[in-house]
Each structure stands twice: as C-alpha cells, then as structure tokens.
Amino acid sequence: MDGNNSHVSRRSFLKSTGTATIAATATGSMAGCLGGGGDGDGDGGGTLRYGRSAHSDSLDPQNSTSGEVAKVTNQAYEGLIDFQPGEAALTESLATDWTMEGENVALTLREDVTFHDGSDFTADDFIATYRRFVDEDYEYYFQDASSYGPFTLGSWIDSVEKNGDYELNITLTQPYAPFLRNLAMFAAVVLSQDAIEGDVDLNQEMIGTGPFELGELDDANNRIQLTAYDDYWGDGPTVDELLFLTRGQNSTRAQALLEDELEIIDGLDPDTIEQINGSDGAEAQTAEGINIGYMSFNMSRVEAFRDRQVRQAISYAIDTQSIVENIYAGLATQADQPIPPALFGHNDDLSPYSYDPEQAQTLLEEAGYGDGFAFELTTFQNARGYNPAPLPTAETIRTNLADIGIEVTIDERQFSDYLTYTSEGRHDASLAGWYTDNADPDNFCYVLLHPQTEVPEGQDWVAWDTEGYNTSNRSAWANQEFMSVVEEAQQETEEEQRATLYSEAAAIAHEEAPWVYIDYADEVRGVSNRVSNYTISAIGGPFLHLVELE
C-alpha cells in the first residue's frame, strides 16, 4: 500500500463531464471497476472493523435519510445501478444494460442473482420495492417511508411494467435528467418481494442481494455484525466478517485505530488526523467531498427568518471563515451556495458572505429587528464529515450573534434524535449538512431547498404541516424564481444548459440566504496499514467488500 495521502484539486471534479474521478486514494485500489480480491467465498478472511460516531437507527433503507444507515445497508442491498468506487460514473449492478429516451427507461436485469434467503431476484422485486416506497394503493405500502420516496422515485415514475422476469420498462411523468443516477441512490436499493409481503421486520433484518448479510444487530452495544454472503454474484467480499462499531468521540475512535481495535474510521478532526499521521500503524487518507455544511433557518417556525434582510444579517454576523480555518482546520473550505464546487452548475462568480457585524447590524435595523431577538439552535452531538466539531461551531455562532443582539440557545442532541426532531420541524434553526446521493446538483437544489408542494401566492415559505411538504427542506423556503429554474434544469438534457440553469439557481440562493453557508468538507478516513484496496468514495459505498486485510 502506498503510504502517501492522496488529494485532488477542489473544482476539478465533475465540472465538465460528470464522470471524472473523485480521488485516487492511497490504497492501491482499482478505481472504476467492480473487481476485487476474492470470488465470493471470503478468500483472504478476517474481520474488518469500521468505527463511526453514531449507530444506525434502522436497517431499512426506505426508513431513513441518514448516512449512518446507508453505510450498513449498502453492504447488504444493491440497486439496479451503482457508482464506480471512487468515481461519479455509473456502472452496472442488478441491471446489466439500460437506456433512457425522453420519458421512457428500459433496463435489462441480471439473471442468476439470489437474495440472502435463497430466493431468486427478478423484476417483481423492484416493482414491489417501488410500490412499498411510494404507492399508497399497494397493500404493503410503507406509511412511515422517508422523504426520499418522492424525490428519488415517486415524483418521477408514472408506471413500472415488466417484460418477463428480467426486463423492466419505466415510464416517467416527465423528462428527468438525473433519473438513472437516482436509481443508484442508497434509498433505491432493491428489497425482496418475499420480505416486503412476508413477516419480516425490515427495521431489524436485511434480506438483500449484496456481498454481506446480517449476522447480528446489537443495538444495546451499538454494534452491527455482517458476514460474507457465500452465493454473492459479484467479486468479493474478501473478508469473512464486517463489524460496524460506534465510538462517539473522535479521539476514542482514533485511539482504537492506533491500538489495532479498528481498521477504518471516519469522522476525523484536525487533532485526530495529526494523531493518526504521527503513528506507525495507520494514516489519514483524504479525497474530495461532495457535501455541504450549513445552518438552516426554519421560516415556518420563526417569523423573523421570513425576512431576507434578517437572514442576510445573520450570514454576515457569523464568522464562517474562522469556523472553517480554526475549528475545521485543514478539512474544509468556506461555502457560498448550495452546490458544492465539485459539481457542474457551481457558480464560480459567488463568494462567501464576509464577516461584517456592522453590515449585519444595519440590515437588522432596516428589517425592524435592531434590538435583536432570540432563537434556539439545534445541533447534533456526534461529529459528521461536513461538521467535525458541531458544539464548537454552535458556540461560535452563539458568540457571533450575541454581538448583534441576537440571543441563541443551543439545543444539543444525539444524531438519531436530532434527525427526528428536525424532520418534524420542531427546530428554530439547525446545524445541518448533506452528502450527495447521486452527484447531480438536483440532489442539493431540489432535495434540500424545494418544498415540493403548493405554495401560497406571494409567499416565499410554507408551513411545515402543508400536505406533501418536503421535510428535507429544513428551512421551509419556497422561492418561486428558484423553484422555476430548478424545475427547468430537471427537464433539460444538455448538460451545458443544465449547468447554466443551476448556476442561476445558486445565485438566487446566495442572495436569498435560506441557509448560512458554512463549509464544503473533504472526505477523510483513518485507515490501518493492514488495509489495502480501500477507496474513499464521496458517492455510494463504502465499498467494503473490496477491502483486503494483511
């Protein structure tokens, strides 16, 4: 294994083609192919232990928006299409071929694939998966499905039909450029029809077609054990066992890595990176991320946030440069818009809001809030890649806003509780973040900032309890101009024109400031020297079935 960290230049990824490599990590891996060591029988053997900051609150990919859930479910489930490890390019998975022409999508499915219970994978399994997620007329419709259902599949699919067991024909409601990429999202993986229609608790069990199957779910000890699936159709896994272990503190995970108790860890901060790189047994590996960290304004709940000048004032008052340079030192750059620099459509003409308390005070006075006001800022306790130090970030925000007369109370929660609380719209404001699901700007602009429901005329926000409201829009923002541009970009097939439209949308979002844009973070992992063939992936994965242990 090459001992050097690997970095890529920040604005190069996907700016032109949408298929460029994210990073060539220092693992000796073959990026861009599904091949790996082993032949499905666990050759190489051993136990791979993955350390993270928070436990999965479900094993059902249709019941969560959490990346912690996806890390696990992506090992046991597969979609029709996948991303190449370490890249944004699409590759075959349960589908071996596909075409998309206008509103018509045709897919040829892989034969001789079995689920972990031994049943055969066919077109019926995808149809049942789709219907469980979004079809209220289906007997087994999942009423508690996550907000991924509509924007991944439901809003775009008019009908799904099969032609035999291994041909699918999907008719879309409209031309929708990101659709094939949506099929590669973690929430679009294929569940077993037998499991859906049988007596299986998919929150607690996984019956997929992937390289690993569930061994034990130990919620009491925040531990999930997966074992190699011997009849896996593809290459790998090369290890016999995969353990996801939770260590809440960054320093605790780093120490466990250095003491050979873990092989891979995420959620690093500058101190733990220095600690790891100063050791003999591990290194911190880095790849460019496609994510954003931000603070959302819940306009549904706080009247002051409905005034653009107030949102701009707070954006000027928060020293995001200090947060990025001093708290996230070496891990991130300042954000200035919803679309990360790696994606086409990022507007290079925009700059972060400068730290300017005087301008902030002037804007507050013009908006009628010169004497300030108070709100509660909800944050998560556990480090996230886009926010490796949530409490210090929140404390900096509180201090900065106190200087312009705004009183902030910090509401700190465990990550699973934080997700539930904010998805119900109970926050005044929240520290938040997003990793890309499909490497398309639509995944940020539409998913995070479009209400996906009717908006009262003359109003640029919606009430949280509006029927059909997209709860991933934690700000309840509903700007008609922004929405129209994003909707046009979805139907445009020429990438150059799409990029122009998204650049326009980014400029609107910058000016309207529905978020305080904080940072774009690198993807950083601590990796034992005993690990090879590991690729840091900003999209999909982690591809742990390819990892080998010495």
Side-chain angles (χ1 to χ4, degrees):
M1 177 174 62
D2 187 341
N4 295 322
N5 291 347
S6 180
H7 301 264
V8 292
S9 94
R10 186 171 294 278
R11 297 185 179 262
S12 62
F13 175 69
L14 282 180
K15 294 293 284 187
S16 300
T17 67
T19 57
T21 301
I22 293 174
T25 58
T27 60
S29 65
M30 294 296 292
C33 69
L34 285 175
D39 57 7
D41 61 1
D43 281 358
T47 298
L48 175 63
R49 296 164 296 183
Y50 191 105
R52 54 190 183 150
S53 64
H55 186 60
S56 302
D57 61 354
S58 173
L59 295 180
D60 187 342
Q62 295 185 347
N63 191 30
S64 179
T65 62
S66 170
E68 296 301 341
V69 171
K71 289 172 190 174
V72 177
T73 58
N74 281 350
Q75 312 307 315
Y77 290 109
E78 297 173 299
L80 298 179
I81 301 174
D82 203 355
F83 294 104
Q84 294 183 5
E87 299 191 9
L90 297 176
T91 191
E92 60 188 48
S93 184
L94 294 179
T96 59
D97 191 28
W98 54 83
T99 60
M100 184 169 70
E101 298 180 0
E103 299 169 3
N104 300 307
V105 181
L107 301 106
T108 300
L109 306 186
R110 188 179 299 277
E111 301 184 31
D112 300 322
V113 174
T114 60
F115 285 96
H116 299 153
D117 62 0
S119 61
D120 292 333
F121 159 71
T122 70
D124 287 325
D125 296 297
F126 177 79
I127 293 172
T129 298
Y130 158 71
R131 297 192 67 190
R132 177 182 187 255
F133 214 3
V134 301
D135 185 356
E136 296 182 6
D137 294 329
Y138 183 42
E139 180 181 354
Y140 303 96
Y141 169 66
F142 183 32
Q143 294 185 349
D144 295 325
S146 77
S147 58
Y148 270 76
F151 70 72
T152 301
L153 300 175
S155 296
W156 317 118
I157 294 179
D158 181 62
S159 64
V160 182
E161 298 177 349
K162 66 174 184 174
N163 180 14
D165 286 339
Y166 298 102
E167 297 286 340
L168 280 170
N169 295 301
I170 300 174
T171 302
L172 303 181
T173 58
Q174 64 174 57
Y176 177 63
F179 182 72
L180 293 176
R181 292 186 167 275
N182 281 13
L183 291 179
M185 288 185 185
F186 92 94
V189 294
V190 180
L191 311 179
S192 159
Q193 180 183 18
D194 290 345
I196 290 171
E197 298 182 356
D199 188 22
V200 176
D201 182 357
L202 291 173
N203 276 314
Q204 301 287 316
E205 301 180 53
M206 294 189 292
I207 301 176
T209 61
F212 291 98
E213 58 185 322
L214 180 64
E216 180 185 17
L217 172 63
D218 184 359
D219 287 331
N221 293 299
N222 293 335
R223 175 183 179 275
I224 300 175
Q225 178 211 33
L226 306 180
T227 60
Y229 178 44
D230 291 338
D231 291 328
Y232 181 52
W233 62 267
D235 292 325
T238 66
V239 298
D240 298 319
E241 182 183 45
L242 174 58
L243 294 178
F244 285 93
L245 303 172
T246 301
R247 303 287 185 270
Q249 299 299 317
N250 297 356
S251 58
T252 304
R253 286 193 305 284
Q255 191 62 36
L257 175 70
L258 299 182
E259 293 178 356
D260 290 329
E261 296 174 1
L262 297 169
E263 279 71 47
I264 302 173
I265 64 172
D266 59 26
L268 280 70
D269 57 29
D271 290 340
T272 52
I273 290 174
E274 182 178 0
Q275 180 184 2
I276 291 168
N277 282 336
S279 72
D280 295 328
E283 65 176 352
Q285 297 179 5
T286 306
E288 183 173 24
I290 312 178
N291 58 62
I292 185 169
Y294 59 93
M295 187 185 89
S296 69
F297 298 105
N298 188 352
M299 301 176 206
S300 174
R301 186 174 174 89
V302 180
E303 184 174 355
F305 291 160
R306 299 169 192 169
D307 191 311
R308 179 180 65 182
Q309 287 186 306
V310 171
R311 302 193 301 268
Q312 291 175 334
I314 292 174
S315 297
Y316 280 117
I318 295 175
D319 192 351
T320 58
Q321 182 176 358
S322 176
I323 291 172
V324 168
E325 292 182 356
N326 298 325
I327 299 177
Y328 306 167
L331 297 179
T333 58
Q334 272 181 286
D336 51 30
Q337 61 190 280
I339 303 171
L343 293 183
F344 69 90
H346 177 88
N347 190 325
D348 292 334
D349 294 331
L350 300 177
S351 299
Y353 277 80
S354 60
Y355 176 53
D356 192 341
E358 291 184 4
Q359 175 69 0
Q361 189 67 59
T362 297
L363 287 168
L364 282 182
E365 290 172 359
E366 291 177 356
Y369 291 93
D371 294 330
F373 60 97
F375 70 86
E376 184 176 76
L377 174 59
T378 299
T379 185
F380 37 86
Q381 295 177 343
N382 309 94
R384 309 294 296 160
Y386 47 72
N387 187 337
L391 185 56
T393 300
E395 290 172 339
T396 299
I397 291 171
R398 178 172 60 186
T399 299
N400 289 162
L401 294 186
D403 292 340
I404 60 169
I406 296 177
E407 180 182 349
V408 175
T409 302
I410 297 174
D411 172 33
E412 189 182 19
R413 295 174 178 269
Q414 289 289 337
F415 190 61
S416 60
D417 181 38
Y418 155 89
L419 285 176
T420 300
Y421 188 80
T422 56
S423 70
E424 294 171 350
R426 296 161 64 188
H427 60 292
D428 292 345
S430 67
L431 288 181
W434 191 257
Y435 300 103
T436 187
D437 295 303
N438 65 0
D440 193 284
D442 183 73
N443 193 233
F444 292 86
C445 294
Y446 184 75
V447 172
L448 301 180
L449 287 169
H450 193 299
Q452 301 175 29
T453 190
E454 294 294 325
V455 180
E457 186 175 354
Q459 187 170 296
D460 68 353
W461 61 277
V462 295
W464 205 273
D465 59 0
T466 302
E467 184 177 358
Y469 175 67
N470 165 32
T471 59
S472 291
N473 181 350
R474 294 296 204 257
S475 290
W477 187 53
N479 180 276
Q480 292 287 356
E481 184 182 9
F482 176 87
M483 292 158 57
S484 295
V485 174
V486 169
E487 289 166 7
E488 183 179 353
Q490 289 175 335
Q491 300 187 53
E492 175 60 53
T493 58
E494 294 295 328
E495 187 167 293
E496 184 176 350
Q497 181 60 24
R498 292 190 75 214
T500 299
L501 290 167
Y502 283 119
S503 180
E504 181 181 343
I508 296 168
H510 175 86
E511 176 69 14
E512 292 291 327
W515 298 341
V516 174
Y517 305 103
I518 299 177
D519 74 297
Y520 309 117
D522 288 334
E523 297 285 346
V524 187
R525 306 289 185 269
V527 183
S528 167
N529 289 346
R530 298 192 302 110
V531 168
S532 60
N533 214 38
Y534 170 62
T535 303
I536 300 177
S537 296
I539 317 164
F543 298 93
L544 300 179
H545 65 294
L546 303 178
V547 171
E548 298 176 358
L549 292 177
E550 297 176 359

